[in-house]
Amino acid sequence: MVYVWFALGPIVLPAIYFVGPKLSKEIVESFEYHYLYELMSIQGRLLNEIHSFKREFKEGKLNVVALHLSNGDNEKVEEEDVKQMMTMIKNKRREMMKFVTKEKGSIVPRACKYAFWNMCNVLNLFYAMNDGLLETRFFVL
């Protein structure tokens, strides 16, 4: 499977093995497990794109929003892109909640589902006001 890259795999996937129930090969290879990871990654990537494009554009780096801005020079393009991405985030969040609360026919243990859900909540807090990178520089010192 191909995922939207956001570097959450090395953080979340090993941690899930320590949240409680033993994970079998069947669980780890299931569609449900991979789909929860994909939904979490997409939300993280989109949040990062929305909140870091101005800094990255100044640095000469491109992301989805910056690419759209380079094709047009008005602020409406930026606002429209951000609105579309926020709608996608909300939709992915709703979809994830359906999988997290699903009990019948679910193979992934509840504690593991909550680990994915909680990481999405952390991402939303991390990017709540600004570019998460800029906010964390104060904590590294």
Side-chain angles (χ1 to χ4, degrees):
M1 294 187 143
V2 177
Y3 297 112
V4 176
W5 178 250
F6 190 63
L8 290 176
I11 298 167
V12 176
L13 299 179
I16 287 177
Y17 282 93
F18 299 105
V19 297
K22 185 177 179 182
L23 296 178
S24 67
K25 186 175 181 179
E26 179 186 12
I27 292 170
V28 175
E29 292 177 350
S30 71
F31 167 79
E32 183 181 9
Y33 181 87
H34 285 269
Y35 195 57
L36 285 165
Y37 175 66
E38 181 180 344
L39 290 169
M40 177 190 65
S41 296
I42 290 171
Q43 290 177 63
R45 176 79 266 149
L46 291 174
L47 284 164
N48 179 267
E49 296 285 319
I50 289 169
H51 292 286
S52 66
F53 77 90
K54 289 179 182 175
R55 174 185 48 84
E56 290 180 354
F57 192 70
K58 286 178 187 174
E59 294 172 357
K61 298 176 185 174
L62 294 178
N63 69 22
V64 174
V65 179
L67 283 170
H68 281 261
L69 288 175
S70 67
N71 291 329
D73 58 348
N74 60 20
E75 289 183 21
K76 288 183 181 180
V77 174
E78 176 184 331
E79 289 175 25
E80 289 172 16
D81 287 345
V82 170
K83 281 182 185 178
Q84 285 179 339
M85 293 171 87
M86 289 303 293
T87 300
M88 288 176 15
I89 291 168
K90 287 177 187 176
N91 291 339
K92 295 299 178 186
R93 199 162 165 80
R94 279 189 203 110
E95 215 171 317
M96 182 171 229
M97 181 51 82
K98 286 179 187 175
F99 271 82
V100 169
T101 58
K102 179 182 174 184
E103 290 192 22
K104 210 171 200 181
S106 178
I107 190 170
V108 178
R110 182 181 297 205
C112 296
K113 292 179 192 181
Y114 284 153
F116 286 116
W117 178 252
N118 288 335
M119 179 52 84
C120 287
N121 291 333
V122 167
L123 291 168
N124 276 287
L125 286 172
F126 194 65
Y127 289 107
M129 290 199 215
N130 206 341
D131 179 358
L133 176 67
L134 297 175
E135 296 297 319
T136 58
R137 289 183 183 170
F138 296 109
F139 298 109
V140 176
L141 298 175

